Amino acid sequence: MSLKYKCKLCGTCCHEVPGDYVKRIPLYPNEVDHLIEIAKDRDIEFKVIEDLVFPDVKNEKILVLTYRIRLNNKTQGCPFYNEVSGCTVHDTKPLACQAYPLSLKRIDAFNFEISIDPLCNFVIQNYKKLEDLDIEKLKKVFKEEYPKAEKFYRKNKKLIFKIRKLEVTSKIEIPRQVSLDEFNQYLEKWDRQDISVK
Ligand code: SF4
Ligand code: SF4
């Protein structure tokens, strides 16, 4: 296997893609704070949307684990993307962007696995070679990105562990079944609380 990942600098991953798929560029609360500071300095409009959240019915709070970048209306892209130079926060870009085209696929409410984003143009062009790779080979193809994806995975695991710990110590209560109506009511009425780990 001589295949090695090389970004084509096409910018697809920093933009909305046509179709039903919703582009998610996940951010941890500390990454949001960091990007807000940069956006202020550069006078860029930067907004985020809550992404991975849990309703805590005991304290009537929405627990926010991650946000996602709100894409620019006009360009349909990340506000830090520049047509000429690409990512303008490259050196301190979010962990999700560092790991890309590896990403975290949600298996259920509390579990994730490392996966390859099929929307990356490198992945599309090499799909046949990538589809049956085992983990060891995948690590070789994505030599720099795989450790970042593992870090991303570990961080999400820690966040979920923190939530579970709060649950078992009865500090919070997360319902296992919530109707869409109920969930929307919670989102409308309850305050937010960021959940962070180092
Ligand atoms: S932070 Fe950089 S790499 Fe990440 S989506 Fe924005 S422009 Fe792309
Ligand atoms: S879609 Fe893939 S190849 Fe294109 S810029 Fe993003 S990571 Fe690089």
Side-chain angles (χ1 to χ4, degrees):
M1 160 65 61
S2 57
L3 184 64
K4 293 270 180 293
Y5 166 65
K6 191 164 184 338
C7 178
K8 297 177 174 299
L9 304 176
C10 61
T12 301
C13 52
C14 308
H15 292 82
E16 189 60 277
V17 286
D20 294 339
Y21 182 87
V22 176
K23 181 75 196 170
R24 288 175 60 251
I25 304 162
L27 302 173
Y28 296 112
N30 67 313
E31 293 177 325
V32 174
D33 293 342
H34 172 66
L35 292 178
I36 285 174
E37 287 306 312
I38 296 178
K40 260 193 218 156
D41 281 352
R42 297 183 190 174
D43 203 14
I44 291 175
E45 184 174 274
F46 171 65
K47 289 191 173 153
V48 293
I49 307 164
E50 291 147 3
D51 191 37
L52 179 58
V53 299
F54 289 99
D56 168 15
V57 292
K58 180 166 184 172
N59 303 293
E60 301 197 341
K61 288 257 167 70
I62 298 292
L63 308 177
V64 186
L65 279 64
T66 59
Y67 293 83
R68 65 187 153 97
I69 297 177
R70 182 180 286 217
L71 302 179
N72 179 295
N73 275 342
K74 211 162 106 194
T75 64
Q76 285 297 295
C78 171
F80 295 104
Y81 186 83
N82 176 295
E83 287 299 330
V84 179
S85 44
C87 178
T88 61
V89 289
H90 183 73
D91 293 343
T92 57
K93 65 185 177 184
L95 196 48
C97 300
Q98 293 176 39
Y100 198 85
L102 300 178
S103 61
L104 292 188
K105 188 164 120 192
R106 202 163 170 180
I107 301 172
D108 56 41
F110 295 100
N111 291 292
F112 297 85
E113 66 181 14
I114 295 176
S115 128
I116 311 176
D117 190 334
L119 296 172
C120 164
N121 277 319
F122 170 86
V123 176
I124 292 170
Q125 286 181 6
N126 294 285
Y127 191 77
K128 280 271 161 246
K129 292 181 192 160
L130 290 167
E131 66 179 342
D132 292 327
L133 287 192
D134 61 30
I135 292 289
E136 288 315 310
K137 286 184 182 147
L138 206 64
K139 284 181 184 174
K140 286 186 184 148
V141 177
F142 298 100
K143 201 164 172 268
E144 284 175 26
E145 294 70 27
Y146 202 89
K148 309 285 186 192
E150 283 184 312
K151 195 173 167 190
F152 191 19
Y153 176 80
R154 282 196 301 274
K155 193 153 181 165
N156 267 32
K157 280 279 252 195
K158 271 193 195 176
L159 280 167
I160 296 294
F161 183 71
K162 189 166 179 176
I163 291 283
R164 301 297 281 262
K165 201 170 161 195
L166 290 168
E167 264 193 313
V168 293
T169 50
S170 300
K171 294 202 170 75
I172 62 170
E173 187 187 333
I174 295 174
R176 290 301 183 264
Q177 294 218 317
V178 188
S179 72
L180 193 57
D181 274 355
E182 280 173 322
F183 191 60
N184 284 335
Q185 280 179 31
Y186 299 158
L187 286 176
E188 206 179 300
K189 290 185 195 154
W190 294 353
D191 288 341
R192 273 47 178 168
Q193 184 181 333
D194 285 349
I195 301 290
S196 301
V197 289
K198 288 199 176 151

